[in-house]
Amino acid sequence: MNRLIDEYKTFVFDCDGVVLNSNKIKTEAFYKTTKFFGHEFAKELLDYHVVNGGMSRYLKFDYFITRILKKPDNKVLKKDLLTRFAKNIKEGLMTCEVASGIEQLKAKTQTTNWLIVSGSDQTELRELFKVRNLDYLFKGGIFGSPDSKETILAREIKKKNIKKPTLFFGDSKYDYLAAKKAGLDFVFLSKWSEVKNYQSWCYNNKISIKKDFLDYLLDTN
C-alpha cells in the first residue's frame, strides 16, 4: 500500500514514458539504427527493447552484438551504434510532449526531493533537460546510463540523497523491479507505457496504476 503524498521525502522519476513522451522515439530509433543489418535483426532488437523497457541502451546494444548478430564483443561497433542511435533520437527528444501535471505535482511537493533515474545516457539526459528547462525540477539530480538503475538507486540511498519513504514513478517492468529491490514504493504510469497487458501484470503484483501525474494528484485530493 503506497503512502499519502505528503509522507514521501523523495520522488524518483523514470524519464521516457514518464516525464517525456519519448518511448516511441526510442523504439523507432533502435530499428532505424540497426536496419542496415537487415529487417529480421533490427526487428529482433526492437522487440527486445520493448520487452526490456527502461534498460540501458548500452546493455541493449551489447545484446544485439553478442546475442542477435552472434559476434564477439566489439567496442568499435558498439560505439558506432550508440552514436547513430543518439543522432536518431536527438530531434524527437527536443520536441516531444512533457507530461501533463508535473508542474502541479511539483507545486504540491515543494519539500520533496526529486530525482531522475533513467536508462537514457546520463550526459545526453542532463543536456536535454537543461535545454528544455526541466532540470530545475530535479534538484536531487539527473542520473542515467551507463550505470544501471539499481546501481544509481543504491548509490544515492547510501549518499542519503534518496531518503525513505520514497516513491518511484515508472512505466516499465524493469522500473518496478529496480524500485522493489531498493525498497521504494512504486506507481505505474500507463499513458505512454509500451508494456503489453500491463493491467493484469500490475494486478498480479499489486501495483498501483495511474494514467499520468494528473490522475495521481486526483487520487491524493
Side-chain angles (χ1 to χ4, degrees):
M1 179 68 70
N2 290 346
R3 297 165 173 82
L4 298 174
I5 189 171
D6 57 3
E7 293 183 80
Y8 289 109
K9 295 180 179 178
T10 311
F11 279 168
V12 174
F13 301 77
D14 178 42
C15 175
D16 298 314
V18 173
V19 176
L20 297 178
N21 184 10
S22 46
N23 278 337
K24 289 183 179 180
I25 294 167
K26 297 285 181 75
T27 299
E28 291 169 0
F30 274 108
Y31 181 84
K32 187 176 180 181
T33 299
T34 55
K35 67 179 182 180
F36 60 89
F37 289 98
H39 169 73
E40 292 301 323
F41 287 146
K43 180 64 165 57
E44 190 173 345
L45 176 62
L46 185 153
D47 292 341
Y48 180 77
H49 157 70
V50 171
V51 171
N52 294 278
M55 183 187 291
S56 163
R57 71 187 68 169
Y58 292 80
L59 296 177
K60 289 172 182 175
F61 283 123
D62 282 338
Y63 182 90
F64 178 73
I65 293 167
T66 62
R67 301 293 294 277
I68 296 177
L69 296 182
K70 301 188 185 305
K71 294 179 179 290
D73 184 33
N74 187 321
K75 292 182 179 179
V76 174
L77 175 56
K78 182 179 176 181
K79 183 177 180 180
D80 178 62
L81 291 170
L82 288 166
T83 300
R84 288 171 181 264
F85 182 83
K87 288 180 180 179
N88 286 332
I89 64 173
K90 187 173 183 179
E91 183 178 351
L93 290 177
M94 290 301 298
T95 57
C96 64
E97 181 183 0
V98 178
S100 56
I102 196 165
E103 295 282 358
Q104 294 94 319
L105 180 61
K106 186 66 175 180
K108 196 166 183 177
T109 59
Q110 289 290 330
T111 61
T112 306
N113 191 29
W114 282 29
L115 296 83
I116 289 285
V117 176
S118 172
S120 298
D121 180 82
Q122 180 169 284
T123 300
E124 176 186 290
L125 198 60
R126 289 176 175 177
E127 291 175 354
L128 172 67
F129 273 58
K130 184 176 181 179
V131 172
R132 297 206 60 176
N133 193 31
L134 293 169
D135 55 337
Y136 78 96
L137 293 169
F138 305 96
K139 298 299 185 182
I142 297 170
F143 304 103
S145 61
D147 289 339
S148 69
K149 290 181 179 179
E150 293 94 336
T151 297
I152 295 167
L153 291 172
R155 182 189 69 222
E156 297 306 309
I157 289 170
K158 186 176 181 179
K159 290 169 61 178
K160 298 184 179 179
N161 187 32
I162 293 177
K163 295 181 180 180
K164 297 179 181 179
T166 297
L167 180 61
F168 191 124
F169 292 100
D171 71 319
S172 70
K173 294 181 178 180
Y174 177 44
D175 289 340
Y176 167 68
L177 292 173
K180 184 178 180 180
K181 184 177 181 180
L184 313 182
D185 290 350
F186 184 77
V187 168
F188 182 87
L189 298 185
S190 64
K191 185 176 181 179
W192 296 324
S193 177
E194 292 186 321
V195 176
K196 295 180 180 179
N197 302 316
Y198 68 85
Q199 295 95 334
S200 58
W201 171 71
C202 287
Y203 177 80
N204 290 335
N205 288 280
K206 300 179 181 179
I207 297 169
S208 175
I209 304 173
K210 300 298 174 189
K211 181 181 178 182
D212 52 22
F213 296 122
L214 289 175
D215 189 25
Y216 174 73
L217 284 168
L218 282 173
D219 197 44
T220 63
N221 291 330

